[in-house]
Amino acid sequence: MAASNSGVTLVGLGNMGTAIAHAFLKSGRSLTIWNRTSTRPSVTELVVAGASYEPDLAEAISANNIIVFCVLEYQNIYQGLQPLVASGVLKDKVMVNLTNGTPQDAREASVWLKERGVANYFDGGIMVTPQNVGTPVSIVLISGEDEDMLESSGVRGLISSIGLPDYKGEDAGIAAGYDIALLSGMFGMFIGSLTALAMIRKQIDRARKTSGADGTKKAVADVNLTNVVTTYFNPLLTSLIPHNELLAAAIDNNDQDNNHGNPMEMMRIAINNIIRGCEEEGVDAENLRHFAKLTEQVVHLHGPDSGLAWVHSLLLK
Ligand code: FVH
């Protein structure tokens, strides 16, 4: 059977792969799917929605010219393809890999696959959760080959059904570099939030133990982490989001001494207060200790009135 130029094969039907599959079907593509575990509920759900499930990976790859991978990690790709390469099944295929990994992972995958017959390799990162795939907020960072090839191979058109394709460069690793950079911001926020919630848990427990009059008891009993986040924490974080742009602009414009009203010495003391407070209350503050060290270095190198953006230069090795 000749491979289809208009269809697509999708390997990996986890949460993200399933969302991508629905987006492909919605855009009218003929879709062949493969997943290591054929009993995953999403397999049946997608077949009902119009996809063709092919239990044999080699057959699934043979069905179309464009193959999209969205599995847990790069190693899974090699595990799946290694037994098949001798048959020449990868010859002239266009591979789009949306699996999360490092820039080096992406560059190595590009070389490995091309040595085994793949014609074009694009590596991408989807910058939304599965719920937002195919919506206007979805952006797909993509790199590898060149922009003309992105167009002529049909990959830009295909990716458009998942999100806005945003081409970042010819080195296959660039999109993965952007992807993990942005995710580091996300995970940084989560560990900060979880540290905050641990500290607040301690305060709620203390207030419950020490509350006196009935009215106070009731008010204290009603407090939980969710309403603390809604009332105080999310508004605080939301008001701080514009500071990311101020930081980036200070770095872009070589204006790191601009502290935007938050001198480094004040921040150094504040971070150390948080660490001391966590120690007093029995909360792990390890995630903040390195940050505290960086602020000390900035004060030492650039002075107490310098700005947070100087930390950027200390992170570049
Ligand atoms: N979910 C998200 O919010 C993020 C958003 C940004 C991008 N990530 C990355 O997308 C990749 C897939 O993530 P996912 O959410 O689909 O992950 P799972 O739901 O856990 O599904 C994992 C799929 O990978 C298959 N798989 C795992 N190990 C193997 C293997 N050894 N051989 C073949 N396939 C394998 C798994 O198959 P199965 O367990 O059903 O058999 C699922 O299809 C990921 O890189 C994220 O970082 C998602």
Side-chain angles (χ1 to χ4, degrees), residues 87-312:
S87 69
V89 72
L90 296 178
K91 192 166 177 325
D92 298 335
K93 297 293 172 185
V94 174
M95 183 76 84
V96 182
N97 185 16
L98 301 174
T99 303
N100 177 272
T102 70
Q104 185 66 16
D105 288 339
R107 286 191 282 266
E108 283 174 7
S110 177
V111 171
W112 192 90
L113 288 161
K114 286 185 174 183
E115 282 174 357
R116 285 154 183 83
V118 163
N120 305 122
Y121 178 85
F122 294 97
D123 200 280
I126 306 175
M127 300 324 300
V128 288
T129 54
Q131 296 80 352
N132 283 323
V133 166
T135 71
V137 296
S138 179
I139 295 175
V140 183
L141 303 170
I142 192 133
S143 61
E145 306 300 341
D146 59 45
E147 223 168 345
D148 289 343
M149 189 60 74
L150 183 71
E151 197 70 50
S152 62
S153 62
V155 171
R156 188 194 288 281
L158 176 73
I159 293 293
S160 301
S161 53
I162 309 173
L164 186 72
D166 190 345
Y167 185 75
K168 304 315 292 178
E170 296 181 11
D171 181 312
I174 296 175
Y178 271 79
D179 187 18
I180 59 170
L182 297 169
L183 292 177
S184 101
M186 179 188 86
F187 284 118
M189 182 192 75
F190 285 148
I191 187 61
S193 298
L194 289 164
T195 306
L197 295 181
M199 183 58 123
I200 289 164
R201 164 93 278 141
K202 295 279 182 177
Q203 309 319 304
I204 292 173
D205 291 347
R206 193 185 301 279
R208 282 186 183 148
K209 265 191 215 143
T210 55
S211 60
D214 276 359
T216 321
K217 270 189 186 143
K218 174 150 182 15
V220 167
D222 284 348
V223 174
N224 62 27
L225 293 178
T226 311
N227 56 38
V228 170
V229 168
T230 309
T231 311
Y232 310 111
F233 196 48
N234 280 353
L236 176 69
L237 290 184
T238 305
S239 75
L240 291 172
I241 283 174
H243 280 255
N244 286 324
E245 273 169 48
L246 295 179
L247 279 179
I251 298 162
D252 280 344
N253 303 323
N254 224 355
D255 187 27
Q256 292 92 331
D257 278 331
N258 188 343
N259 64 34
H260 300 106
N262 298 297
M264 208 57 211
E265 176 63 357
M266 177 277 285
M267 298 234 233
R268 184 191 70 76
I269 293 171
I271 292 169
N272 279 290
N273 283 342
I274 299 168
I275 293 170
R276 284 192 309 113
C278 285
E279 281 165 355
E280 285 171 16
E281 298 290 298
V283 170
D284 185 329
E286 201 51 48
N287 68 309
L288 285 167
R289 278 185 223 287
H290 184 58
F291 193 12
K293 267 192 212 137
L294 293 171
T295 62
E296 271 155 35
Q297 278 177 267
V298 171
V299 170
H300 176 72
L301 291 169
H302 303 287
D305 284 330
S306 60
L308 186 60
W310 277 120
V311 169
H312 169 81

Side-chain angles (χ1 to χ4, degrees), residues 13-16 35-37 40 71-72 76 79 100 128 130:
L13 300 169
N15 294 318
M16 186 49 97
N35 195 60
R36 177 185 60 169
T37 309
R40 235 187 209 260
V71 286
L72 202 52
N76 308 152
Q79 286 159 357
N100 177 272
V128 288

Side-chain angles (χ1 to χ4, degrees), residues 24-68:
F24 285 159
L25 288 171
K26 198 170 160 200
S27 71
R29 296 264 166 182
S30 105
L31 174 65
T32 303
I33 52 175
W34 183 90
N35 195 60
R36 177 185 60 169
T37 309
S38 59
T39 51
R40 235 187 209 260
S42 55
V43 173
T44 317
E45 173 196 311
L46 285 163
V47 169
V48 170
S52 306
Y53 178 69
E54 175 49 71
D56 183 84
L57 180 56
E59 290 295 327
I61 291 173
S62 301
N64 294 293
N65 284 331
I66 303 182
I67 316 298
V68 176

